[in-house]
Amino acid sequence: MIDSWAPLRRPVFRMLWLAVLAGNVGTWMQTVGAQWQVVHEPNAATWVSLVQAVTTLPVLLFALPSGALADTLDRRRLLLGVQIGLFGVGAALAALTALDRMPPALLLVFTFLLGAGQALTLPSWQALIPEVVPHDELPAASALGAVNTNLARSAGPAVGGLLVAHAGPAAVFALNALSFAVFALVLLLWRRPPRTPTAHPEHFGSALRAGGRFVRYSPVIRRILGRVLLFVLPGSAIWGLLPVIAREELGLGASGYGVLLAALGVGAIIGALLMPRARVLFSTDQMIAGTGLVYGAALLVIALVPHPVAVTSVLVGAGLAWMMLVSRMNAALQLLLPNWVRARALAIYQLFFAGGQAVGALLWGQVAEAFGLTETFGTAAAVMLAGALSVRLLPVHTHEERDQSPAVFWAEPHLMLQPHLDDGPILVSARYRVPAENAEVFAAGMHELRWSRQRTGATQWGLFRDGADPAVFVEVYLVPTWEEHLRQHEGRLTGEDERAEEKLVALAEGPPTVTHLLPDNSD
């Protein structure tokens, strides 16, 4: 078993990991500073939840575009430009706050801009991980990426709370700006090996569509996204309303709020330490159920036992459960993604993760205003526990052992008519002759292969039999353009796809006869 900390012994990964940690810690410090800045305003619960929502809302708007950019542009240069921009925004926020020129509405604008920068940062960073560690260390590196995010989410607010208490929000905002400068400096020092340019660079619009199509036709990824949403929606009640719990229910000031956040951080660190062993001992579905039950119990205690000691204690368990669930889902996703679409799929994951937090923060803030904190946390607990128990009916089955490395095994098409790259749609057909005793198994296998065709470019797919010769099966699928079909030939397929096709060919009487029908542009 690979050492869980092995990727940190690699200088490039370690340098980037620490830089991302500094940026993430600064971001969460900024969130705490912004929340505490508005906690004394009228309707504090609404303002606090709005800060949390506006921090994560940009992911809903920019996640998929940022993933497409990260898959089509140089990821290092993209990250560098974003960090320089974030430094400027953060510095302006700190200066205006220090001058007492930061009303709540303007604070939300700055918070949104910082959230937009994070939306552009996360897909690029996570997609870089397979470039700087060997494949056998990818699970550990993926887990460390989740550890990074969740440690920052726990430690950043804790440090931010202490700094707010002793130096005020402006100092927190200034340190956040400094964290972006540190990240930019590390990126400047890193000399990324030049990438071999692809034969047909993707256009932004088609890259967006391809990323959405890949996730749509990947059942296991959809199940992971659903599980993340079922956990994050009720779980965001703690993150969004903890300042109000600290002030109104527990009677704590900024220092006490920092202690509560530190408890979450301690739980996250414990979860990180336990994660490698838990990965061996428990299946993915068992981990989903266990973490949901622990987090749901924490929500119940917050609702029913508003005492500082009790709440602080259960927040350790909540931090542990949050870390383990999110880390497990993130690692599973990294192992399932081929490199050509990695950033886009991770961006969609971030959309579900941060979007669930944004929607949850707004929802629980409004519920708290209307019904009170006890009812809010009791409802969130019920939703969390129901989601945990539903895993028996809706298991995930991640299939992480599948080979997602690129595989180029289709024969190069030889055509008398040479289409333009933009020509389309292209109708591809594959004609098989299958013995009668293999027909049922073959048909079932072809319907499974459908997912591969549509993940990699097909917009429509069908399987037909020849009425005059039942041994003949014809697979047909439609691809938007010739360029998109060439991408299927040149690297979108994986080792798992190759094995699936080899099994189908073994059931038939030989390889299929493939034809490419082009649009008639004669008129």
Side-chain angles (χ1 to χ4, degrees):
M1 184 173 63
I2 294 293
D3 180 359
S4 299
W5 309 106
L8 289 175
R9 299 190 188 101
R10 299 186 177 278
V12 173
F13 180 84
R14 181 174 64 248
M15 179 177 65
L16 290 171
W17 191 88
L18 290 173
V20 171
L21 181 62
N24 287 340
V25 167
T27 296
W28 285 109
M29 287 168 54
Q30 191 275 339
T31 300
V32 171
Q35 288 179 325
W36 203 256
Q37 178 88 348
V38 299
V39 80
H40 300 291
E41 298 287 333
N43 301 317
T46 297
W47 280 113
V48 167
S49 61
L50 277 173
V51 168
Q52 181 70 30
V54 170
T55 300
T56 53
L57 186 60
V59 178
L60 292 172
L61 303 176
F62 306 127
L64 190 51
S66 66
L69 288 172
D71 277 334
T72 55
L73 302 178
D74 185 287
R75 290 166 183 164
R76 172 185 167 274
R77 292 181 179 179
L78 177 62
L79 282 172
L80 181 59
V82 170
Q83 301 316 304
I84 292 172
L86 286 173
F87 172 74
V89 173
L93 172 60
L96 290 172
T97 303
L99 295 171
D100 199 21
R101 302 288 186 183
M102 188 54 60
L106 184 58
L107 177 64
L108 292 180
V109 172
F110 274 92
T111 303
F112 179 86
L113 292 174
L114 292 170
Q118 287 300 101
L120 290 168
T121 297
L122 287 172
S124 296
W125 151 240
Q126 293 197 333
L128 279 174
I129 291 176
E131 294 187 27
V132 295
V133 298
H135 185 267
D136 61 344
E137 292 182 10
L138 185 56
S142 300
L144 284 170
V147 167
N148 186 309
T149 301
N150 289 281
L151 279 178
R153 185 184 180 101
S154 301
V159 175
L162 295 174
L163 285 174
V164 166
H166 293 92
V172 172
F173 299 156
L175 280 175
N176 182 40
L178 181 62
S179 73
F180 299 130
V182 170
F183 195 179
L185 178 62
V186 169
L187 290 167
L188 282 171
L189 294 174
W190 177 36
R191 294 293 178 260
R192 184 189 185 200
R195 293 189 304 168
T196 303
T198 58
H200 308 290
E202 285 191 84
H203 302 294
F204 182 74
S206 61
L208 280 177
R209 292 189 292 272
R213 186 167 54 237
F214 179 87
V215 172
R216 178 183 176 186
Y217 294 109
S218 300
V220 65
I221 292 177
R222 295 204 312 269
R223 290 195 294 267
I224 289 174
L225 295 177
R227 275 296 152 192
V228 168
L229 200 59
L230 280 174
F231 188 87
V232 168
L233 272 174
S236 63
I238 288 180
W239 299 101
L241 293 174
L242 194 58
V244 184
I245 287 287
R247 184 168 180 265
E248 297 184 6
E249 293 290 308
L250 305 180
L252 301 175
S255 297
Y257 176 46
V259 170
L260 297 181
L261 291 168
L264 283 166
V266 169
I269 292 170
I270 295 172
L273 295 174
L274 293 178
M275 191 65 204
R277 187 65 177 164
R279 185 183 174 90
V280 174
L281 292 176
F282 304 110
S283 69
T284 301
D285 291 329
Q286 288 172 332
M287 197 172 294
I288 290 169
T291 53
L293 292 173
V294 170
Y295 204 100
L299 288 165
L300 272 179
V301 171
I302 294 171
L304 302 176
V305 190
H307 188 278
V309 174
V311 172
T312 302
S313 300
V314 298
L315 286 177
V316 174
L320 180 149
W322 184 279
M323 162 67 78
M324 296 186 76
L325 187 282
V326 176
S327 174
R328 186 69 187 87
M329 294 295 96
N330 187 278
L333 197 63
Q334 284 275 21
L335 290 168
L336 288 167
L337 293 175
N339 191 58
W340 70 268
V341 75
R342 184 179 300 277
R344 279 165 282 184
L346 288 169
I348 293 174
Y349 169 83
Q350 290 298 331
L351 188 153
F352 275 74
F353 182 76
Q357 290 176 273
V359 172
L362 279 174
L363 172 67
W364 301 122
Q366 295 305 308
V367 172
E369 289 284 357
F371 301 103
L373 290 169
T374 298
E375 291 77 5
T376 298
F377 278 84
T379 304
V383 175
M384 177 67 75
L385 293 172
L389 295 176
S390 70
V391 75
R392 292 181 62 87
L393 297 175
L394 301 169
V396 173
H397 301 314
T398 54
H399 302 296
E400 296 168 25
E401 72 286 352
R402 292 180 176 176
D403 179 11
Q404 300 299 331
S405 59
V408 180
F409 58 93
W410 283 1
E412 183 179 348
H414 295 285
L415 306 177
M416 297 299 293
L417 291 175
Q418 292 303 318
H420 188 273
L421 291 176
D422 293 332
D423 284 350
I426 308 300
L427 184 65
V428 182
S429 70
R431 185 177 185 275
Y432 297 83
R433 175 170 290 277
V434 182
E437 61 272 19
N438 294 340
E440 185 176 348
V441 177
F442 178 85
M446 288 300 299
H447 282 280
E448 283 296 313
L449 190 65
R450 168 191 180 178
W451 297 111
S452 169
R453 301 289 193 245
Q454 296 193 281
R455 276 196 302 270
T456 56
T459 55
Q460 296 182 51
W461 181 93
L463 181 67
F464 301 89
R465 296 183 77 171
D466 189 335
D469 187 354
V472 173
F473 285 77
V474 180
E475 176 198 18
V476 296
Y477 56 93
L478 200 66
V479 187
T481 65
W482 180 246
E483 181 180 23
E484 196 77 0
H485 181 56
L486 289 180
R487 295 189 194 284
Q488 293 180 303
H489 278 268
E490 295 170 357
R492 283 190 177 177
L493 300 176
T494 67
E496 186 67 26
D497 296 325
E498 184 175 16
R499 277 194 290 274
E501 291 200 29
E502 286 174 349
K503 290 178 182 178
L504 290 170
V505 170
L507 293 170
E509 293 180 359
T513 301
V514 179
T515 60
H516 299 83
L517 301 182
L518 310 177
D520 181 12
N521 297 323
S522 58
D523 57 350

